[in-house]
Amino acid sequence: MISLSSRVKDSAQSSGRQTLNDVIGLFRSRLSLRIVFWIFLSIMVIEAVLLVPSVERRRQEILDQVEEVSTGKINWILMTYPDSTPQELLTQVEQLQADPMLESILGGAIYTPDGSVMGTFGEAPALSFNAAVQGEALYLPQAEGDRYDVAWPTLLPDGQHFIVIRHDAQGTRAALFTYVLRVAGLVVIISGFVTLVMMVVLGPNLISPILRLRRDLAKAGEAIAQDQPSTEFSSTHIRRKDELGDVIHTFRQMFQDISTAVAERKRVEQELRLNNQQMRQYLDQVDRVTAAAVDVESDCFDPSCLSEVGQRSDELGQLARVFQHMAQEVKQREAQLKQQVTELRIEIDHAKREREVQQVTQSDYFQELQAELDHLKVDEFWA
């Protein structure tokens, strides 16, 4: 039990260390950092593109809020004094500047139906009569403070007039800056969260398999170098039906093909070494046959020197056996010839002696001696 619990504990610790190493490896992986960087950058660019019209809409909302306050007061004046003259209307509008609730009003003007300025108060607006007729407003960003001019059409007894009010829009820029910071912070948080989620998703689904495949590639190189075709790879247990799965399957198939090719190459090399050895042995035995021919010519041939070559079952062995038989026959024939020569010499010497004896016996001197001997008695010869 103690041993089992110890093994389980060690396995859990090993698994925890492996998980920690995988997490650390994700942040060290150049590929994962590159992917999440581009994801983060893409989100930031998209949000920046969307932020431009969003800021413009926010600016317009702020200006509309400023305009709504003035619109309420202008409508109240028009409803309260519907039959007032342009001068009286200008006086009523000018009083708005003194209202503590309308500190944003800096000045104004009234345009007559013919487009001329009937009167102004405070800071004169820059909105033209034609722009007022078109229902346009004018936003002027300035160093001393932003300004916003708005026009309201007013129907008086002598025709349609236009009331133009200049507002202090200095707070618009600060409000927009705050809005941009708030949106930018939200975008950064969203981008960071999406990036972290992508990192977590990419880890087990892309980066970890790639890192395991990289380790397997190094292991495959060592296995091929050390002639270990039955190496176990960690990526073997990955079963995927996507492009990465195809890459892992191709890697395993490639390793098998390379192992088969290496084994085939070694087999061919072994056969080549064996063939080279057999060729060297064959040439050595050919040299023996050649040396035997020289020995035959020198009359010092020993048939036993070709016994090993003669045991071969190929053409060289047959040649050695024929050469041995031929050499033996030549040697026997040579011995016979020598014997015949010796006998012939003996016969020649015998015939020569006979001819010499015949020449002696047939000479006149020998005939005379022979005749004398025939007449001479033995006792007289020895007396």
Side-chain angles (χ1 to χ4, degrees), residues 20-34 199 207 211 214:
L20 180 61
N21 292 332
D22 291 341
V23 173
I24 296 175
L26 292 178
F27 291 94
R28 291 179 179 178
S29 173
R30 294 186 296 271
L31 178 60
S32 61
L33 293 178
R34 189 175 303 169
M199 178 74 77
I207 305 303
L211 294 177
R214 183 182 65 179

Side-chain angles (χ1 to χ4, degrees), residues 30 46 106 143 189 220 227 234 256 323-324 331 333 377:
R30 294 186 296 271
I46 293 174
L106 300 178
I189 293 174
D227 193 15
S234 60
Q256 293 177 0
F323 192 86
Q324 284 179 318
K331 190 172 183 180
R333 186 173 299 176
K377 295 181 180 181

Side-chain angles (χ1 to χ4, degrees), residues 97-131:
Q97 189 176 9
D99 190 345
M101 300 295 295
L102 301 174
E103 294 179 354
S104 62
I105 296 179
L106 300 178
I110 295 180
Y111 286 106
T112 60
D114 60 358
S116 61
V117 179
M118 189 277 298
T120 62
F121 67 92
E123 187 177 328
L127 183 66
S128 65
F129 174 76
N130 293 330

Side-chain angles (χ1 to χ4, degrees), residues 184-315:
L186 183 61
V187 168
V188 171
I189 293 174
I190 294 175
S191 301
F193 177 75
V194 172
T195 301
L196 182 61
V197 170
M198 289 302 300
M199 178 74 77
V200 174
V201 172
L202 287 175
N205 291 280
L206 181 63
I207 305 303
S208 293
I210 290 178
L211 294 177
R212 293 170 66 180
L213 183 59
R214 183 182 65 179
R215 291 192 294 268
D216 287 347
L217 286 172
K219 191 174 181 180
E222 295 177 358
I224 293 174
Q226 299 175 2
D227 193 15
Q228 298 177 353
S230 59
T231 303
E232 181 69 20
F233 297 113
S234 60
S235 61
T236 306
H237 305 289
I238 299 177
R239 296 292 184 268
R240 301 174 61 124
K241 295 183 179 180
D242 53 8
E243 290 78 5
L244 185 57
D246 295 339
V247 172
I248 295 174
H249 175 73
T250 302
F251 160 71
R252 292 196 294 264
Q253 185 64 38
M254 180 191 67
F255 178 76
Q256 293 177 0
D257 294 341
I258 292 177
S259 299
T260 303
V262 170
E264 180 66 18
R265 186 196 65 184
K266 291 184 177 180
R267 185 187 66 79
V268 173
E269 290 178 351
Q270 181 65 26
E271 291 183 355
L272 183 59
R273 285 193 294 269
L274 181 60
N275 291 334
N276 289 335
Q277 183 179 0
Q278 293 176 351
M279 181 60 67
R280 287 194 297 269
Q281 184 180 3
Y282 184 85
L283 294 177
D284 180 65
Q285 293 179 351
V286 169
D287 292 338
R288 292 185 184 182
V289 175
T290 305
V294 176
D295 292 342
V296 170
E297 184 178 1
S298 303
D299 196 17
C300 59
F301 173 71
D302 183 8
S304 61
C305 67
L306 294 180
S307 299
E308 181 180 355
V309 183
Q311 295 177 358
R312 298 176 62 96
S313 60
D314 55 1
E315 290 80 2

Side-chain angles (χ1 to χ4, degrees), residues 77 81 83-95 110 112 117-121 156-158 161:
I77 292 173
Y81 307 99
D83 298 329
S84 61
T85 63
Q87 186 62 41
E88 293 174 348
L89 182 61
L90 178 62
T91 302
Q92 294 295 331
V93 173
E94 185 177 359
Q95 292 178 0
I110 295 180
T112 60
V117 179
M118 189 277 298
T120 62
F121 67 92
L156 298 179
D158 58 345
H161 292 65

Side-chain angles (χ1 to χ4, degrees), residues 20-183:
L20 180 61
N21 292 332
D22 291 341
V23 173
I24 296 175
L26 292 178
F27 291 94
R28 291 179 179 178
S29 173
R30 294 186 296 271
L31 178 60
S32 61
L33 293 178
R34 189 175 303 169
I35 292 175
V36 298
F37 169 75
W38 284 109
I39 292 175
F40 181 83
L41 184 62
S42 299
I43 296 175
M44 294 297 294
V45 170
I46 293 174
E47 293 296 338
V49 173
L50 297 177
L51 183 62
V52 174
S54 177
V55 170
E56 184 62 25
R57 287 194 302 269
R58 180 57 183 168
R59 182 178 68 84
Q60 190 60 44
E61 290 175 358
I62 297 173
L63 295 177
D64 289 342
Q65 292 175 0
V66 175
E67 182 181 350
E68 286 177 1
V69 176
S70 300
T71 299
K73 291 294 182 179
I74 294 298
N75 290 335
W76 180 84
I77 292 173
L78 294 177
M79 292 176 63
T80 305
Y81 307 99
D83 298 329
S84 61
T85 63
Q87 186 62 41
E88 293 174 348
L89 182 61
L90 178 62
T91 302
Q92 294 295 331
V93 173
E94 185 177 359
Q95 292 178 0
L96 297 177
Q97 189 176 9
D99 190 345
M101 300 295 295
L102 301 174
E103 294 179 354
S104 62
I105 296 179
L106 300 178
I110 295 180
Y111 286 106
T112 60
D114 60 358
S116 61
V117 179
M118 189 277 298
T120 62
F121 67 92
E123 187 177 328
L127 183 66
S128 65
F129 174 76
N130 293 330
V133 172
Q134 297 295 329
E136 298 177 359
L138 179 63
Y139 176 74
L140 297 174
Q142 298 176 354
E144 62 274 9
D146 298 346
R147 300 294 185 263
Y148 183 54
D149 297 341
V150 185
W152 290 267
T154 304
L155 185 60
L156 298 179
D158 58 345
Q160 189 178 34
H161 292 65
F162 288 91
I163 301 174
V164 181
I165 301 297
R166 165 156 287 197
H167 301 86
D168 182 9
Q170 184 174 1
T172 303
R173 186 177 300 180
L176 288 177
F177 182 74
T178 303
Y179 174 77
V180 170
L181 288 181
R182 186 169 62 251
V183 173

